[in-house]
Amino acid sequence: MEDRGTLGVQIGGKHTLKDWNLGWLSITLGFPEAKTYEQEIPGADGIIDLTEAVTGDVKYKQRSISMEFDQLDADYFDWQAKLSEIANYLAGQKFKIFLDSDPAFYYIGRLKLDTEKSEKAESKITISGEVDPYKYEKYSSLEDWTWDDFNFETGIIREYKDLQVDGSYQLYIPGRRKKIVPVIECSAAMQVTYNGKKYSLPAGKSKVFDIWLGEGDNYLTFVGNGTVSVEYRGGSL
């Protein structure tokens, strides 16, 4: 197991250990609460649950995150300067947040310096905030990926760029929990079949809003001649 003293968090262009010399003590990441919609039925038992009525899927609220660090080789008199540097950097900005313990995914959200939980006497600094309910794959299916941050247990290699379609081509996409409408780019007009239904695709980039790639096995069958690219980035709770 990797020593937590060597780990940190990448917040936008800053790394808590490398740039701020903050040692990772703990990270608390709350589980997102489902957005539920229920309607009382006058004169009858129970309720009508409308949670999945609109999109066919459960939607979630933001999740909370709290990260506690200690200032390594702390200078007591440098405390306020360090707090100001971090506070000015965060200052309401939305960042991608990468945990060194889970480098294949990132969170998106706004963080702040939590002054109530930061303690000068112990050189302890706490950063907290709200992030999207899902964590997202570091690389989309159109981006180059590396083995350095690939997780051999949970990682999925996605290479859906410039696929050659000579009459027919079936693309298999293993989906994660978040339902995604992919961006499809064709070099020429084609047809695509998804869940037994056919859709026409123009040349160039487009979306078919009836194609929602969900968790598990997804198959897209393209018919035509040319190349096709499918942009997909998985999201997991």
Side-chain angles (χ1 to χ4, degrees):
M1 180 179 295
E2 199 163 5
D3 181 4
R4 286 193 173 187
T6 67
L7 297 177
V9 181
Q10 185 76 32
I11 304 173
K14 296 287 187 179
H15 190 273
T16 55
L17 180 61
K18 299 173 183 176
D19 294 298
W20 294 330
N21 203 30
L22 300 181
W24 180 2
L25 294 177
S26 67
I27 291 182
T28 302
L29 186 64
F31 194 80
E33 179 184 350
K35 293 182 178 180
T36 57
Y37 302 95
E38 298 176 342
Q39 180 66 51
E40 294 286 346
I41 307 174
D45 296 324
I47 59 172
I48 298 177
D49 190 340
L50 302 174
T51 301
E52 299 159 298
V54 177
T55 64
D57 191 23
V58 178
K59 299 302 179 183
Y60 297 91
K61 299 178 182 180
Q62 295 289 87
R63 66 199 304 176
S64 61
I65 185 171
S66 179
M67 301 175 286
E68 187 177 273
F69 306 91
D70 62 349
Q71 190 176 356
L72 303 179
D73 301 324
D75 182 344
Y76 183 84
F77 299 99
D78 185 49
W79 169 260
Q80 195 60 47
K82 179 67 68 175
L83 290 186
S84 295
E85 179 186 351
I86 296 172
N88 285 328
Y89 178 74
L90 298 177
Q93 302 297 312
K94 179 175 281 190
F95 290 112
K96 289 183 179 180
I97 303 161
F98 292 87
L99 309 182
D100 283 359
S101 59
D102 191 15
F105 292 89
Y106 64 85
Y107 298 87
I108 296 179
R110 302 181 193 277
L111 302 174
K112 65 179 181 179
L113 184 68
D114 195 332
T115 55
E116 292 184 359
K117 296 181 179 179
S118 297
E119 300 176 11
K120 183 175 182 179
E122 298 181 10
S123 297
K124 186 182 296 181
I125 292 178
T126 300
I127 297 172
S128 62
E130 301 284 326
V131 295
D132 286 2
Y134 289 95
K135 62 179 182 179
Y136 301 96
E137 292 176 346
K138 181 176 182 179
Y139 303 108
S140 80
S141 56
L142 303 186
E143 296 175 325
D144 295 331
W145 56 276
T146 67
W147 288 110
D148 294 344
D149 45 25
F150 184 78
N151 188 314
F152 286 88
E153 294 182 1
T154 62
I156 299 174
I157 297 175
R158 303 189 186 280
E159 296 179 330
Y160 313 150
K161 185 177 181 180
D162 294 332
L163 306 174
Q164 189 66 43
V165 180
D166 293 318
S168 180
Y169 182 92
Q170 185 178 71
L171 173 63
Y172 168 59
I173 300 178
R176 296 198 186 270
R177 175 64 183 82
K178 182 175 175 60
K179 288 191 173 182
I180 301 291
V181 177
V183 177
I184 303 174
E185 183 173 8
C186 304
S187 63
M190 298 186 190
Q191 281 192 333
V192 62
T193 299
Y194 176 68
N195 284 346
K197 294 184 179 180
K198 292 183 179 180
Y199 305 93
S200 295
L201 298 172
K205 291 184 178 181
S206 64
K207 284 186 175 183
V208 178
F209 289 97
D210 286 335
I211 297 180
W212 286 81
L213 304 182
E215 190 172 21
D217 298 332
N218 299 277
Y219 295 91
L220 298 176
T221 302
F222 298 93
V223 175
N225 290 279
T227 60
V228 63
S229 298
V230 178
E231 185 175 1
Y232 175 91
R233 188 190 302 274
S236 180
L237 291 174

